[in-house]
Structures are given as C-alpha cells and as structure tokens.
Amino acid sequence: MTASKSDIRLSVQQVRKVYGAGSRNEVEAVRSLTFDLHAGEFACLVGPSGSGKTTLLKCIAGLLDPTSGEVVLDGRRVSGPAEGMAVVFQEYSRSLFPWLSVEDNVELPLKTSGVPKAERKARVKDALDAVTLSHAAKSYPWQLSGGMQQRVAIARAVASNPSVLLMDEPFAAVDAQTRGELEDLVREVWKRLDMTILFVTHDIDESVYLAERVLVLSSSPTIVQADIHIDLPDVRSQADTRSLHRFGELRHQVYEEVQFAKTNPGGERMSVRDGLPS
Amino acid sequence: MIVLKRLALWFGLPAILIAVWWAFTAQGVNFFVPKPDKLANTFVTVWFSEKFFTDVMPSMGRLLISLAVSLVLGVALGIAIGLSRTLRWLLEPLLEFIRAVPSTILIPVLLLLIGINDAMKITVIVLGCLWPILLNTIEGVRSLDEVLKNTALVYRLRGFDRIRYLVLPGASPLIMAGIRHSLAVGLILLVVSEMFASTDGIGYSIINFQNRIAIPEMWSGIFLLGIIGVLLSVVFQAIQKRVLGWYYGLKEASNDG
C-alpha cells in the first residue's frame, strides 16, 4: 500500500495516558503511542493482557481524554466521541439496547443524527443484509444467540457509515466456531463496504488471519513495539489460509513479539518492518 | 381449561372466606358484623347511587391526579438527580429529611396553609407517593449499564435523545416498581386526607357512616376501597406487562442461558 498524507484516516500521535496524574498512586497506562491508519486499511492491535489496549481504544473513541498527545480523525482532532467513528464492544449483550428490536437498534444512531427516514430504512436494510440478519429484524437482541447479537452490533456500526470502525475484542466472548464465522464476516464486510478497521484483540492467530497489518503493543506503559505487514493472499478462508506456510511464519513472528512484550514493559526496542512508516 | 383453572385459583380463596363469614354470621346476630348478603345489598344501594358521582368520582380524581403529579415530578427530579452527582450531594440530606416526616402529620399544617380543598388533599397524597417513584428513579438512572452508556456516548446520543432512548427505558423497571409502591401509599393517604375537614369522598363517607353508627354502610365503604385497590393493581399490571415486555423477556433469556 502506498501511503500518502492525504489518505490518512486516523492518526494517533504520541498519545500518553496517566491515571491519577499528580497523585501518589499515579499509573502510567500508555506511554507514547504513534501510528497512522490509512483509508481502507484493516489493522489489528495485539498485546499481552494489561497492555493498555482498552485504554488506548477508549482514547481513540473519545471516551477518555489522553493525558498528552492527540488523536486525529479525518484531519480533525478528537475530543469526545466523534462523528465518523463507530465502535463494536466486546460485551455485545450489554451494548445493544434490550428495549429496542434489532432494526431499531441499528436505526437509532441514524435517527438521532438526523438521517431522513427513507434513507435510514434503506441503510438499515443494507446493514442487516451485510451481516445476513434480515430475517431477525423484528426480534429483540436477547432472543438471539451471542454470535447473532454481535452481528447486530456490527450492523449498527456499519450502518452509520463510519470513517473508522473500532472493534474491541469483539469475538472474545463467543465460541470458537462462531468466532471463525464472524471473522470471515468482518473481512467480507470490510471488503464489500471498503471500510477502515482497527481491531483490538489478544488472539495472535486472529490478528494474523484478519488483518493486513498487525501492531504489537508492549506491556504497560505501552508503546507500539512492532508494526508487521501481513502479506497473506487477499481472499482468505479459515481452512486454507490457516494452513499456509506463510501464515505459520507470520504467526510465529507476532508470537515472538508478544512474548518479548510480556517481559519488557514500555519496550525499549521499536522495530519497523516492511517499509511501513512509523 | 387453563383459563378455568386460573379463575378458580383467583376466586377460590375469596369464595371460601365469604362462605366462612356466612357460616359464622348465619345464626348469631352481631350488630357490628353484617351478613354477607346484607352487606352486598347495602353496597349496591349505597354506592350505585348518586354517591358514585358525589363521592367515588371525586376520590378517584384526587387519587389519579396525585399519582400523575407524583409520576411526573418523581421521574423528572429522579432523572436530574440521578444524572448529576452535584445535585445528589446537594439534595440527598434534604430529601432524607422530608421523606422521614410522615405526610399525614402535615395535614393540620396544610389545612392552614392551603385551606380545605382538593389542593390540600392532593398535596398530602403527593408528599407520600413521590418518594417511592423519586428514589427508584434515582437508583434506576444510577444503575444504568456502563457498556450501554459508553455505546450511547459513542453514537452521540445527547440531551433529550439520551434521556428518551437510554435513561428512561433503562430506568423503567425500577420506576415501575416505584409506581407500584406509590399506588398502595396513595390509596391510604387518599382516605386519610378525606377524613379531616372534608365534605365528600370515600374516606369522608366511611367516617360519616361510622359516626352515624350505620355499620353495614361503613363496611360497604371499606369493601369498596378493597375493590378499588384490586382494580388499580390489575390495570397497573397490564400496563407494566406492556411497558416492561422487553425486561421480562431479557430476564427469562438470561435465566435460560
């Protein structure tokens, strides 16, 4: 991918987050994070548990203010939840409104942001089609299985037509089989709608399978420890892609980085690979 | 069959109690305990008369207006207080103080301040009914799910939208529990407020019958209050089933899972 300044969607610049700054028990969760996300890119953030993944994601989503540094979305500095950013949370059952039907859940953000009714209906339908849930439009979320609920959350995020879609360990709470299906679904939606996705996970295999680029975070206080380009074929399938020799190599590479991260908080080393700008 | 069984369960115990009452009053004549048939007759002649318009309707009007005022005040204040920590700190000691004062004790004061009228009775009832709704609303707003709140933030639900689509429905199970409590309190306070310096209403009628030693008539008034209580509860449950359909479904689903 050729990177020019103009197609940068999301830019994270030296973001630092200190909890309880100035007090005696201040905790530096994120030391300094810098990376850019280009239009159409699918990147995964991987890191050992407690590496400040959630903190970082909240800073990007505008739910938390970074102590210093800035997050820029489409050229505008993020200060609070920004238009053009959608988030899929891990806790699908707690992130859908249980008093609204599936289609009403998907429609709500469009409704409150003033999208005209006809367009709204069309976008809701498209989004539900994209996650193959049109048949469940009138159901309530709690009438659906976990995997289906997370698909509703994805449809809601997609319907708002975001510049960047953030996903916070979205498949950590579903069973392995559903997980595989959802991974394929996300890649399909990503390609079909030409989206830009930042996907946070602790699962190394998942990150390699999904992304074109894997950012490995050090343990807390966090920095970007490695930025690995995933040169797997564009069309992927659970059975074939995962048995490729190259998949194994990449997986190994990411694994090594994560192992290194576990023992090196605030990692001293910064490796830039495959010519990607840092 | 299921319907028949339900009806039998519903009306079974009341029927047995009436039968027992009948058996005990059949031969013995106690002036203060009328026979069931006598009471039924009295009930019809006393209440299905113009008294329905001059006493029952005013009472029900006071009760319903008071409940509506309590609901609007309780939910509006509850949302404001629930959403603002500053307001909570500012108001909580004061609210606890006012709540601790039984509203019935204020009747003589309110008589002087407001006068002998409906406004005084409504004030007494509201001062009792407000608390269950207010406190439950505060609690409901405060216990909104963190992930759901973040979701609403991320999708930029603000101001009135946030209250309409997140806060109100999220707090509604507790608000409904508060209303249920208020119904019972309201009926009690209605009667008490009508016992003092009043010229109409069910409470006034009962006291009036008692003073005139019209014993069956007095009992029929008590009976009427019981029936109103049952009717209120039936109507309330029907509304609750509609409003909280999602909540019962959700609870059932998470019990299965």
Side-chain angles (χ1 to χ4, degrees), chain A residues 58 61 63 81-87 89 91 94-99 108-109 111-112 140 142 153 156-157 160, chain B residues 144-158 161 164-167 169-170 245-250 253:
Chain A
K58 280 189 171 163
L63 293 171
E83 208 170 320
M85 191 102 69
V87 184
F89 293 95
E91 304 91 340
R94 289 163 58 198
S95 132
L96 296 169
F97 295 96
W99 44 85
L108 184 60
K111 205 173 181 172
T112 55
Y140 283 101
W142 36 267
R156 177 172 63 186
S160 65
Chain B
L144 284 175
D145 188 278
E146 204 57 41
V147 178
L148 213 52
K149 282 202 282 196
N150 278 340
T151 305
L153 281 174
V154 162
Y155 289 107
R156 294 172 300 284
L157 254 63
R158 294 203 182 99
D161 282 339
R164 176 167 170 203
Y165 295 109
L166 171 73
V167 178
W246 63 270
Y247 178 71
Y248 297 122
L250 176 69

Side-chain angles (χ1 to χ4, degrees), chain B residues 27-236:
Chain B
Q27 64 276 63
V29 184
N30 185 333
F31 177 75
F32 295 109
V33 184
K35 289 180 189 172
D37 55 336
K38 166 94 171 114
L39 182 59
N41 270 332
T42 314
F43 182 80
V44 173
T45 46
V46 169
W47 299 106
F48 289 91
S49 63
E50 68 185 68
K51 239 181 147 35
F52 184 81
F53 299 101
T54 57
D55 291 291
V56 180
M57 295 285 270
S59 282
M60 294 313 289
R62 284 166 201 147
L63 182 60
L64 294 180
I65 290 172
S66 306
L67 286 172
V69 171
S70 306
L71 181 63
V72 172
L73 268 183
V75 171
L77 285 174
I79 286 177
I81 297 170
L83 288 176
S84 155
R85 184 180 301 181
T86 319
L87 269 185
R88 270 203 304 282
W89 282 2
L90 200 67
L91 292 179
E92 237 158 33
L94 183 69
L95 289 179
E96 288 297 330
F97 176 82
I98 304 174
R99 190 167 76 103
V101 178
S103 72
T104 45
I105 208 73
L106 294 176
I107 291 176
V109 183
L110 294 174
L111 275 175
L112 294 174
L113 287 177
I114 304 177
I116 304 175
N117 52 27
D118 283 345
M120 181 283 267
K121 298 183 185 73
I122 289 169
T123 308
V124 170
I125 303 172
V126 169
L127 278 175
C129 289
L130 182 63
W131 308 110
I133 298 176
L134 178 64
L135 298 176
N136 272 285
T137 306
I138 295 175
E139 197 50 42
V141 173
R142 290 188 63 187
S143 60
L144 284 175
D145 188 278
E146 204 57 41
V147 178
L148 213 52
K149 282 202 282 196
N150 278 340
T151 305
L153 281 174
V154 162
Y155 289 107
R156 294 172 300 284
L157 254 63
R158 294 203 182 99
F160 182 68
D161 282 339
R162 184 176 146 81
I163 288 172
R164 176 167 170 203
Y165 295 109
L166 171 73
V167 178
L168 259 184
S172 63
L174 274 170
I175 294 176
M176 291 307 275
I179 296 174
R180 197 191 171 105
H181 197 146
S182 290
L183 285 180
V185 175
L187 196 57
I188 295 170
L189 290 178
L190 169 73
V191 176
V192 175
S193 74
E194 288 174 347
M195 285 176 161
F196 294 92
S198 187
T199 52
D200 59 6
I202 300 170
Y204 162 78
S205 304
I206 293 174
I207 287 293
N208 193 22
F209 288 135
Q210 198 179 352
N211 291 341
R212 286 160 40 203
I213 323 185
I215 300 302
E217 286 77 3
M218 178 198 79
W219 277 108
S220 79
I222 294 168
F223 198 69
L224 177 69
L225 287 174
I227 288 175
I228 291 172
V230 171
L231 284 178
L232 281 177
S233 151
V234 168
V235 170
F236 174 78

Side-chain angles (χ1 to χ4, degrees), chain A residues 232-249:
Chain A
L232 289 171
D234 196 32
V235 178
R236 300 182 190 176
S237 83
Q238 293 288 345
D240 298 336
T241 307
R242 284 180 193 267
S243 51
L244 287 175
H245 180 65
R246 184 66 186 141
F247 185 88
E249 281 176 8

